[in-house]
Amino acid sequence: GGAGSGAEGGLVADLARWRSLAAAVGATAAKLGEAFLAATDRFPLTLNLACLARATPDAPSGRAEGPAAPRELVARARHLMRFADAAYGSVLMSALGTYQGSLPPAGVVARGVEATERWCVASHLGIDEADVKESHLVGGSLDLPSYYVAVDHSSRSVVLAVRGTSTLEDVLVDLVADSKPLGGVGLPWPLPPRLPFDPDEPHGHVGMAAHADRLDTAVTPLLKRLRAEHAGYKLVLTGHSMGAGVASLLALRMATRLEPADEALVFACPPVAARVPWLTRRLANVHAIVVADDVVPHLSLASVEGLLRRLAVIDSCEVGGTTRLSIAAGLEPPTEGMVRAATAADAPQHLPLEVPATRLVHLRRAGESDDASGEERARLVNVERFTARLDLAPSCAVDHLQPSYQRALDA
């Protein structure tokens, strides 16, 4: 009876969370519904997107202007990308061709799925299994993101790696794209949360902020203990995609209470925060890596709203379907009206979120040869300018995948 009651209680709690999350997703979609209908009033979305892309051929990589990124930062990113990738687990890594470990022996498999995943993480990273201090990689949850904590003696680091989107629960967290006030993030203690002349309150992505809050509670005691046990070791947070967003928000929380990580080096981080005090961002020390035309670092409610407004103008242009097909195929140049729509400044009604990084490194796609001008493969770019606007490119989804990041870093 007691076990049954516990199971029923867990089911009721899960259903309540699903209902709450579904309501938030529905409310988010409703905010963009009218804009979506305007963007597809006369012609299909696919055709309008293709015409818009032809009118903005250099975006978003065309905005990747800046000095060469420090080589040591790129080298650290190359090393830590394997840690971020390992958070996805052996099955997904094997499917994507990024797993660099061995097959687990029968004795390890007999210990259960979580123990097997922990062994595979260690094998993939080339560290002792005993140095994977905690793992939560099996069984997705709306309450807590999947993660693991490992000690990396080669870089003298304690590493917390957070998994990106890989389950239905993760997708729902991603879709809750509206923002809310960020509890636990503000000016570093003992300063007041906000100064009298700065009334703006920090905001963050609803779904990922909730994940960062719960992860903070779950993992902070272990991180404090490992920092004390490994004097001189750095504390590093990492993750890819949703994992990058959660790790960045956790870094902001830790900086606010003056317990900052030494670095948060994240990959394909979505826009997750706004109005974060400059001092807190500096203490959080978030460094973000973006490959080529990856769409996720540009993806927020405000940027999607801006994209839909541009598409609505494209849709309303006095151009027939046959001509649009020719433009989409590259057989004719885009009209002046399409170019004006593509280059118009966004004026979103929703609060624009940002990637809360002090430095953002843009990497060219692996296989793109260096040209005669000596263009650098890795550049430091302006975070706000590069990520605020959403422009789609044909490779924007493929560029987001872990193998694209690993290949670009290894090139």
Side-chain angles (χ1 to χ4, degrees):
S5 298
E8 290 173 4
L11 177 60
V12 170
D14 282 345
L15 288 174
R17 295 187 192 99
W18 279 103
R19 282 195 297 270
S20 175
L21 207 53
V25 171
T28 300
K31 292 178 179 179
L32 296 176
E34 185 175 338
F36 177 80
L37 291 176
T40 57
D41 183 46
R42 299 168 59 216
F43 296 96
L45 179 63
T46 303
L47 184 57
N48 287 341
L49 280 170
C51 290
L52 180 62
R54 290 293 179 185
T56 52
D58 296 328
S61 289
R63 299 196 300 275
E65 300 174 349
R71 294 184 181 275
E72 65 273 14
L73 176 56
V74 177
R76 289 203 308 278
R78 184 182 304 116
H79 180 71
L80 278 169
M81 182 60 212
R82 293 180 65 180
F83 284 77
D85 195 20
Y88 283 98
S90 60
V91 174
L92 188 54
M93 282 195 292
S94 297
L96 292 173
T98 60
Y99 182 59
Q100 300 181 30
S102 305
L103 289 175
V108 171
V109 175
R111 286 156 43 194
V113 180
E114 187 69 57
T116 302
E117 285 298 337
R118 184 179 299 209
W119 188 93
C120 288
V121 165
S123 179
H124 172 75
L125 298 176
I127 65 177
D128 290 338
E129 184 183 359
D131 286 326
V132 182
K133 299 300 183 181
E134 182 170 295
S135 64
H136 178 79
L137 298 174
V138 178
S141 168
L142 292 175
D143 283 332
L144 189 66
S146 297
Y147 70 92
Y148 70 90
V149 178
V151 176
D152 178 30
H153 297 290
S154 68
S155 65
R156 296 178 59 82
S157 302
V158 174
V159 181
L160 166 64
V162 188
R163 177 183 293 178
T165 305
S166 62
T167 66
L168 175 61
E169 290 86 349
D170 294 339
V171 171
L172 286 172
V173 169
D174 288 345
L175 287 173
V176 182
D178 207 349
S179 63
K180 71 168 187 177
L182 267 179
V185 174
L187 283 167
W189 184 91
L191 293 172
R194 296 189 303 280
L195 296 175
F197 53 81
D198 183 19
D200 290 336
E201 186 173 8
H203 276 61
H205 184 290
V206 171
M208 294 187 211
H211 261 5
D213 184 15
R214 296 175 187 124
L215 181 61
D216 194 2
T217 300
V219 80
T220 292
L222 173 63
L223 296 180
K224 287 183 176 180
R225 178 170 64 80
L226 290 176
R227 291 181 101 170
E229 292 176 356
H230 298 276
Y233 278 42
K234 294 181 178 179
L235 174 60
V236 179
L237 313 183
T238 192
H240 171 268
S241 191
M242 184 189 80
V246 174
S248 298
L249 289 169
L250 177 57
L252 295 176
R253 293 175 63 90
M254 297 172 72
T256 298
R257 60 175 182 260
L258 289 182
E259 297 175 349
D262 293 281
E263 182 178 36
L265 210 164
V266 296
F267 306 88
C269 185
V272 292
R275 301 172 176 168
V276 177
W278 176 85
L279 180 57
T280 306
R281 291 172 64 134
R282 293 288 297 178
L283 286 174
N285 203 28
V286 177
H287 298 150
I289 311 294
V290 177
V291 166
D293 293 321
D294 182 358
V295 66
V296 169
H298 311 271
L299 203 55
S300 69
L301 194 63
S303 66
V304 171
E305 179 189 6
L307 174 66
L308 291 176
R309 289 180 184 275
R310 280 176 271 138
L311 285 169
V313 178
I314 293 283
D315 188 77
S316 66
C317 287
E318 294 301 325
V319 180
T322 302
T323 303
R324 286 173 186 264
L325 285 172
S326 296
I327 293 172
L331 301 176
E332 293 187 35
T335 66
E336 291 184 6
M338 289 182 174
V339 172
R340 284 196 300 271
T343 56
D346 288 347
Q349 296 179 353
H350 300 95
L351 176 65
L353 296 179
E354 302 172 358
V355 177
T358 54
R359 292 199 288 186
L360 187 147
V361 176
H362 180 269
L363 290 172
R364 297 173 66 190
R365 194 178 294 109
E368 292 183 347
S369 59
D370 294 331
D371 58 26
S373 67
E375 182 179 348
E376 295 287 345
R377 294 196 59 84
R379 290 187 174 278
L380 290 174
V381 301
N382 181 281
V383 178
E384 183 178 359
R385 180 173 181 270
F386 181 72
T387 62
R389 184 180 171 96
L390 176 59
D391 291 300
L392 301 181
S395 61
C396 64
V398 173
D399 286 341
H400 177 67
L401 299 177
Q402 303 95 288
S404 296
Y405 274 76
Q406 197 67 68
R407 287 194 297 266
L409 287 162
D410 290 340

